[in-house]
Amino acid sequence: MRILACSDIHLGRICAVEGSDLTGSSAWEAVVETAIAQEVDALVLAGDIVDNDNFWFEAYGPLLRGFERLNAERIAIIAVAGNHDSSISPKLIKEKPFVNILGLNGKWEALDLHGVRFIGWSFPGTYYEEDPFNTFPQELLKTDLPILGVLHCEVNGASRYAPVPEHRFKPPAFWVLGHTHKPVVTESYVNCGSPFALDRGETGDHGVFLIELEGKHWGKPKMLSLTPHRFEECSVELDAATGKDDVRDSINVALREEGERIAAENYRGDLFCRLTFRGRVSPQLELNKILNNEELNQLKIDITEGLRASPVGNYRDETSLELDLKIISEGGGIKGLLANELL
């Protein structure tokens, strides 16, 4: 059996990239296209498909069209509700009975489909402060079928969003998780992350995961990159010899090096880098008088065919001053005395 797994699409949320022509449904459309292209047997959605009930009318059309396309291709849909879409999931079942949403009202549920047992639990509301496994019925594991668990939760967290200690995820089930937007793969679970990066803090690659049965055991999930944009942190190194005219060259070098690192991962798309300036610089070098964030973000550097790097957001200045202790020591006051002691 071939399964495509994803979570945290957050339909309705505005694209994180200013000036982009991506819509709130772009990630969902990419997920549907990938499921069909990969000829999977099932699409597993681990919660937060829609951002919240306020976006229901915006998400309604694209979401249901995607479900219809998947159903036409005989791709099963198995989902759980997350903290953002707990009130929306019952509407989906009413609209499209072929969408299997497990564990509504916070009650664990199993579904045997295509020779696999799917186990799931859904958020009964916006918050759930207990570990859902406190009410897990062990009889759901009593089967000869391979088991795939689906859950939206916070792993090893102490939060209001179904906190679950990592030791809960163990054989015989393998788990598909949602909630944290950064992809994580372990031997016992895959946290899918968001298929598109939703804000500048979501660095790294994003996409969906292909999971296949190897005999009666699940193979290691394979990530399929989807996001047309990627956010990364980028360090710009300066020193005491860096002058006003050298800063731009240092930015270009840093962006190109970061772009080449990402290109080595076979990534293609737009790379947006938040710049952090580091190093000991001359007191005469005042970055706030040299750099304007709005102008800086207009910079575009072609790294390879299909990959372009540019700054994004407000840069961070973490530089320190390179001080001439000899000159300071020749002055008076506490600074002069301290400089003399240091020398």
Side-chain angles (χ1 to χ4, degrees):
M1 187 178 192
R2 287 166 60 86
I3 290 173
L4 195 71
C6 79
S7 70
D8 297 277
I9 300 171
H10 288 274
L11 267 162
R13 193 177 289 191
I14 298 172
C15 178
V17 183
E18 294 179 7
S20 170
D21 59 356
L22 296 175
T23 66
S25 61
S26 296
W28 171 237
E29 291 168 358
V31 169
V32 172
E33 292 291 345
T34 303
I36 294 172
Q38 290 291 326
E39 299 181 343
V40 298
D41 300 293
L43 173 65
V44 170
L45 302 167
D48 284 2
I49 305 167
V50 178
D51 196 52
N52 60 56
D53 207 23
N54 293 335
F55 293 114
W56 172 242
F57 291 109
E58 179 181 340
Y60 179 85
L63 187 60
L64 267 57
R65 282 196 298 273
F67 285 150
E68 288 287 1
R69 289 192 64 198
L70 293 166
N71 190 50
E73 297 290 335
R74 297 186 177 181
I75 296 174
I77 303 160
I78 297 97
V80 296
N83 55 294
H84 277 265
D85 55 8
S86 59
S87 64
I88 292 170
S89 295
K91 300 176 186 177
L92 294 180
I93 292 179
K94 186 175 181 180
E95 289 280 353
K96 302 296 177 186
F98 58 80
V99 177
N100 302 287
I101 300 181
L102 302 180
L104 288 177
N105 301 315
K107 296 181 180 180
W108 287 94
E109 184 180 2
L111 171 69
D112 293 345
L113 189 67
H114 298 322
V116 170
R117 170 161 290 185
F118 295 90
I119 297 174
W121 177 94
S122 289
F123 267 74
T126 303
Y127 304 107
Y128 194 84
E129 299 185 13
E130 298 180 12
D131 178 356
F133 280 92
N134 290 340
T135 60
F136 183 82
Q138 292 296 320
E139 59 266 24
L140 295 184
L141 300 177
K142 295 178 181 179
T143 177
D144 293 330
L145 299 176
I147 302 173
L148 193 74
V150 190
L151 185 63
H152 195 88
C153 66
E154 183 159 342
V155 180
N156 291 335
S159 75
R160 305 170 73 185
Y161 304 107
V164 178
E166 193 170 24
H167 70 79
R168 295 288 204 182
F169 306 111
K170 56 188 177 182
F174 184 80
W175 291 85
V176 174
L177 307 180
H179 185 62
T180 303
H181 292 183
K182 185 176 179 62
V184 177
V185 180
T186 74
E187 291 185 358
S188 54
Y189 67 84
V190 54
N191 188 97
C192 299
S194 47
F196 282 14
L198 295 172
D199 62 55
R200 295 165 187 170
E202 296 182 13
T203 57
D205 203 3
H206 289 255
V208 293
F209 284 86
L210 184 64
I211 310 173
E212 296 186 78
L213 265 180
E214 297 174 354
K216 285 198 171 184
H217 301 281
W218 297 103
K220 184 177 180 180
K222 177 185 177 183
M223 184 177 182
L224 305 178
S225 178
L226 290 188
T227 184
H229 55 261
R230 180 165 171 171
F231 297 103
E232 294 291 346
E233 301 289 339
C234 184
S235 180
V236 183
E237 300 297 329
L238 308 177
D239 57 36
T242 303
K244 175 181 177 181
D245 296 333
D246 301 321
V247 173
R248 292 177 177 83
D249 292 336
S250 298
I251 294 171
N252 291 340
V253 168
L255 284 174
R256 189 164 295 282
E257 287 178 350
E258 183 64 17
E260 290 172 352
R261 182 184 74 82
I262 299 302
E265 300 178 13
N266 296 317
Y267 175 79
R268 296 295 180 268
D270 288 319
L271 173 63
F272 296 98
C273 299
R274 183 163 67 167
L275 303 182
T276 299
F277 293 89
R278 295 187 171 91
R280 296 176 66 85
V281 300
S282 166
Q284 286 72 43
L285 186 70
E286 299 180 82
L287 291 178
N288 63 329
K289 293 184 179 180
I290 299 171
L291 299 175
N292 175 284
N293 282 304
E294 187 174 345
E295 294 176 355
L296 183 61
N297 292 342
Q298 300 302 312
L299 176 63
K300 313 288 182 186
I301 297 179
D302 291 324
I303 306 299
T304 61
E305 185 177 352
L307 174 57
R308 184 173 62 177
S310 62
V312 67
N314 298 331
Y315 69 83
R316 292 182 292 192
D317 184 358
E318 295 184 2
T319 60
S320 57
L321 296 181
E322 181 75 25
L323 301 177
D324 190 327
L325 293 179
K326 189 172 187 307
I327 292 177
I328 296 173
S329 70
E330 294 171 355
I334 294 175
K335 290 182 181 179
L337 289 172
L338 179 57
N340 267 307
E341 287 298 320
L342 291 171
L343 286 170

